[in-house]
């Protein structure tokens, strides 16, 4: 068994065992992954963004359209003095196929692909953010549930101690003060229980908001994620290679580069193959007569000569935008390394606290058992019992807090290194 497993086992042994149907962190993550509305909205926005490359490609494809119009023409009077007229209708089909766009379409497609790729990485970060908050909500609820159990067990233990003190008082081996001290301690723990139950309700509401369902009892045994980096150097390297925020910014730089080419392409000529066909019909005097059909086909050449400086300005604008995106990429790179450093430091500190808290709990457990045994022989006072009992409960809570702090720090490190996904805590 790993040290992490031993710590969780020690923590679980302090509390009443969770029911067999206790919800696991993996189940909570799966529920949020499937049903969280924030994730659904982000995915829908990415689906919309993913259509932009197709829209850009459409500018290089054949397009066709139909036209038509109808009207009434007044022709004059016949020999009998009756006015005459005719109804006419014209219809046609026109088609255009770009032959050469001067790089306009290809650069627009590259820019759209860059935007879509950046959006995909941004979606990964939204997913990681939601899952990190799921882990945080799970950890907070787990801690408050354990705090409730610590208080309940403490009350049961003090009930037994109060009963023993009253018995000893009846035999003249204890004073009324001893009984009152234990009863005061019990009242204090009851107050702690009320506070803990309120904290559970608050944590449960936060859990329900992010996961989408009520939790019930939570499983405390959580294995160390296999994707965690082993060293700080590994964490920094993973952040620089896989952090979705950094990858998204790098894709934005690619898109900005393509937009420079797109702006320059407005200087280039363009050639289209165009054609059309038209036909008309006229009704006059109850008879229909057709116009001559017309068809045409040819090449259309467009060469920009003077743009009033518009193209040059757009090129300079696109170049400035790319410089800004590159500077943003440098800033994001520093930020993700900092996030990895911070998460690593937090995890290291949490593990250290867990080790120290586990050792303190072992000592507090031994001390409480020893003091209670010595109290039975009259070698310890009631104050000694109260101090030992309080120290033991504090040590229990310290272990529980350190355990969830480790869990939260692991989630932060996974997100910083780009490894926070649905299967992170399998």
């Amino acid at each position: 068994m790993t040290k992490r497993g031993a710590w969780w086992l020690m923590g679980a042994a302090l509390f009443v065992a969770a029911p067999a149907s206790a919800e696991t962190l993996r189940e909570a993550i799966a529920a949020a992954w499937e049903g969280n509305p924030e994730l659904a909205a982000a995915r829908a926005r990415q689906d919309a963004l993913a259509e932009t490359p197709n829209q850009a490609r459409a500018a290089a494809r054949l397009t066709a359209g139909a036209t038509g119009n109808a009207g009434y023409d007044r022709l004059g009077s016949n020999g009998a003095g009756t006015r005459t007229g005719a109804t006419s209708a014209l219809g046609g089909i026109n088609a255009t196929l770009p032959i050469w766009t001067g790089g306009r379409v290809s650069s627009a497609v590259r820019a759209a692909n860059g935007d879509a790729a950046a959006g995909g990485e941004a979606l990964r970060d939204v997913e990681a953010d939601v899952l990190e908050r799921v882990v945080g909500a799970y950890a907070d609820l787990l801690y408050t549930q354990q705090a409730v159990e610590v208080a309940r067990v403490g009350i049961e233990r003090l009930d037994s101690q109060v009963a023993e003190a009253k018995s000893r008082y009846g035999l003249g081996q204890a004073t009324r003060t001893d009984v009152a001290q234990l009863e005061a301690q019990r009242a204090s723990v009851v107050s702690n229980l009320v506070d803990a139950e309120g904290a559970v309700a608050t944590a449960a509401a936060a859990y329900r908001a992010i996961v989408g369902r009520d939790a019930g009892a939570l499983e405390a045994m959580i294995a160390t994620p296999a994707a965690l980096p082993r060293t700080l150097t590994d964490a920094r390297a993973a952040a620089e290679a896989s952090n979705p925020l950094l990858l998204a910014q790098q894709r934005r730089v690619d898109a900005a580069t393509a937009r420079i080419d797109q702006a320059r392409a407005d200087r280039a000529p363009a050639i289209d193959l165009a054609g059309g066909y038209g036909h008309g019909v006229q009704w006059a005097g109850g008879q229909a007569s057709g116009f001559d059909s017309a068809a045409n086909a040819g090449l259309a050449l467009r060469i920009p000569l003077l743009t009033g400086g518009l193209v040059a300005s757009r090129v300079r604008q696109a170049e400035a935008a790319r410089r800004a995106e590159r500077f943003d990429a440098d800033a994001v790179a520093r930020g993700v390394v900092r996030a990895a450093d911070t998460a690593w430091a937090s995890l290291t500190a949490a593990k250290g606290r867990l080790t120290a808290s586990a050792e303190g709990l072992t000592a507090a457990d031994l001390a409480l058992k020893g003091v209670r045994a010595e109290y039975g022989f009259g070698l310890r006072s009631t104050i000694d019992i109260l101090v030992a009992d309080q120290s033991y409960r504090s040590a229990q809570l310290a272990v529980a807090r350190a355990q969830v702090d480790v869990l939260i720090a692991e989630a932060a490190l996974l997100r910083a290194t780009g490894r926070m996904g649905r299967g992170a805590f399998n």
Side-chain angles (χ1 to χ4, degrees):
M1 179 182 293
T2 65
K3 181 181 289 187
R4 163 70 172 268
W7 286 335
W8 281 109
L9 186 59
M10 176 182 293
L14 303 176
F15 313 106
V16 174
S21 60
E23 180 160 355
T24 66
L25 178 57
R26 179 175 61 183
E27 292 170 341
I29 288 176
W33 185 271
E34 296 297 335
N36 184 275
E38 186 176 343
L39 279 183
R43 289 165 182 158
R45 283 190 290 269
Q46 178 57 23
D47 290 342
L49 185 59
E51 293 299 322
T52 55
N54 291 328
Q55 296 169 11
R57 292 187 187 96
R61 295 169 180 163
L62 176 68
T63 58
T67 61
N69 60 74
Y72 177 81
D73 297 324
R74 182 176 176 181
L75 301 178
S77 301
N78 59 18
T82 304
R83 297 183 180 276
T84 61
T87 301
S88 61
L90 301 173
I93 297 177
N94 298 299
T96 302
L97 176 63
I99 302 299
W100 172 255
T101 65
R104 292 174 177 84
V105 173
S106 60
S107 57
V109 170
R110 292 202 313 273
N113 282 332
D115 291 338
E121 295 298 337
L123 174 59
R124 280 186 58 218
D125 185 66
V126 172
E127 291 171 343
D129 174 64
V130 170
L131 296 187
E132 183 181 13
R133 285 188 278 133
V134 170
V135 174
Y138 189 98
D140 287 343
L141 182 56
L142 179 61
Y143 173 76
T144 56
Q145 288 180 349
Q146 291 177 335
V148 166
E149 196 57 39
V150 166
R152 285 176 177 169
V153 173
I155 290 172
E156 292 174 0
R157 190 168 53 247
L158 284 168
D159 283 340
S160 175
Q161 199 67 46
V162 167
E164 181 181 351
K166 287 181 177 179
S167 177
R168 290 168 61 87
Y169 173 69
L171 297 175
Q173 297 176 351
T175 66
R176 181 58 188 165
T177 301
D178 295 326
V179 176
Q181 287 175 326
L182 288 167
E183 290 175 337
Q185 181 82 312
R186 183 189 183 282
S188 176
V189 179
V190 169
S191 176
N192 293 340
L193 174 60
V194 173
D195 289 341
E197 289 174 338
V200 165
T202 300
Y207 182 94
R208 183 168 53 253
I210 189 70
V211 176
R213 67 189 187 195
D214 291 322
L218 300 182
E219 173 60 58
M221 296 289 291
I222 303 172
T224 301
L228 277 179
R230 303 305 178 190
T231 66
L232 177 57
T233 301
D234 291 342
R236 290 174 174 172
E240 291 176 331
S242 303
N243 185 283
L245 288 177
L246 179 55
L247 294 180
Q249 187 57 41
Q250 290 171 346
R251 300 294 81 78
R252 293 188 188 103
V253 173
D254 295 339
T257 302
R259 287 191 174 90
I260 295 176
D261 294 336
Q262 188 177 5
R264 288 173 177 163
D266 287 337
R267 297 170 176 164
I271 302 174
D272 296 334
L273 175 61
Y277 173 81
H279 185 72
V281 177
Q282 186 180 68
W283 288 271
Q287 296 181 345
S289 60
F291 296 149
D292 291 337
S293 299
N296 65 82
L299 294 176
L301 173 64
R302 291 175 286 114
I303 303 177
L305 297 178
L306 294 174
T307 63
L310 178 61
V311 173
S313 176
R314 286 177 174 172
V315 170
R316 292 194 300 272
Q317 182 184 45
E319 290 174 339
R322 180 179 63 176
R323 289 197 303 273
E325 296 292 357
R326 283 179 171 174
F327 286 129
D328 285 342
D330 292 339
V332 172
R334 295 183 184 184
V336 300
V337 171
R338 176 185 177 184
D341 288 349
T342 301
W344 182 268
S346 298
L347 180 57
T348 301
K351 286 180 176 179
R353 288 196 302 274
L354 181 54
T355 300
S357 298
E359 294 173 351
L361 177 57
T362 300
D365 182 44
L366 180 61
L368 178 59
K369 291 176 180 176
V371 168
R372 292 181 66 184
E374 293 169 1
Y375 179 77
F377 291 101
L379 301 176
R380 293 286 182 174
S381 67
T382 303
I383 292 297
D384 293 328
I385 287 284
L386 296 177
V387 170
D389 184 76
Q390 178 63 43
S391 297
Y392 181 64
R393 286 197 309 276
S394 297
Q396 285 180 299
L397 293 176
V399 169
R401 181 74 264 176
Q403 285 173 335
V404 299
D405 284 346
V406 169
L407 182 59
I408 292 171
E410 287 175 343
L413 184 56
L414 288 172
R415 183 183 178 188
T417 54
R419 297 174 178 178
M420 173 59 86
R422 180 174 181 174
F425 284 89
N426 285 347

